[in-house]
Amino acid sequence: GAVVSQHPSRVICKSGTSVKIECRSLDFQATTMFWYRQFPKKSLMLMATSNEGSKATYEQGVEKDKFLINHASLTLSTLTVTSAHPEDSSFYICSARTSFTFNEQFFGPGTRLTVL
Amino acid sequence: AQTVTQSQPEMSVQEAETVTLSCTYDTSESDYYLFWYKQPPSRQMILVIRQEAYKQQNATENRFSVNFQKAAKSFSLKISDSQLGDAAMYFCASMNRDDKIIFGKGTRLHILP
């Protein structure tokens, strides 16, 4: 149980286009989902926290108009990178937790975004 | 603010031997959680072990155990009987009641056959 999927696993896009990444909890209802960014050989940096049905809370320094997060259902959150540029190329990871598993987050397998 | 520090960017250990990965943290909260995550080449984050700050007893999961020194804000991970499959990036992390997990910079562990 507690499986989180991400789609796509890899995406390559042209500069200036927008890319949507999906994060799904497959066998549980995720009241809260988190989006992280990981640069090569670096640690995970929390970008934002989203609660189902409400606006995402962004970490300091993260452009909310650049990284649009939607958490429309208890099993799906999306991250849209708008007007992507090469510096947005990174590995994006989502995680999810239920209201009953406060002290554990379940991580997705990540999405590698490459912007040409 | 929470901070997590891992001072060992890389470590190597002989297969079947024991290795300890270091981690220190800082938080102003009294109620928090500490974690060690493993990230293999697949990049999937895997929870290795979790420690509640209010528990004095060190957490143990099979070959993995921690040495939690609350006063010193230290949280090291000991891997016993190291196996080739243990080779990965290991992240120490902390989480306050605000849900946010803060990760250290990671330690890359190499297992020497």
Side-chain angles (χ1 to χ4, degrees), chain A residues 14-65:
Chain A
K14 292 183 178 180
S15 186
T17 62
S18 294
V19 174
K20 180 184 285 188
I21 301 170
E22 292 185 348
C23 176
R24 292 182 184 273
S25 57
L26 299 185
D27 51 2
F28 66 99
Q29 293 185 327
T31 51
T32 307
M33 286 184 168
F34 305 84
W35 286 95
Y36 297 85
R37 182 174 181 175
Q38 186 177 29
F39 289 103
K41 298 184 180 180
K42 297 291 185 182
S43 187
L44 281 75
M45 299 297 293
L46 180 65
M47 298 175 66
T49 302
S50 73
N51 292 294
E52 187 265 338
S54 60
K55 289 185 178 180
T57 302
Y58 291 81
E59 294 300 300
Q60 192 172 9
V62 177
E63 299 176 62
K64 61 181 180 180
D65 295 329

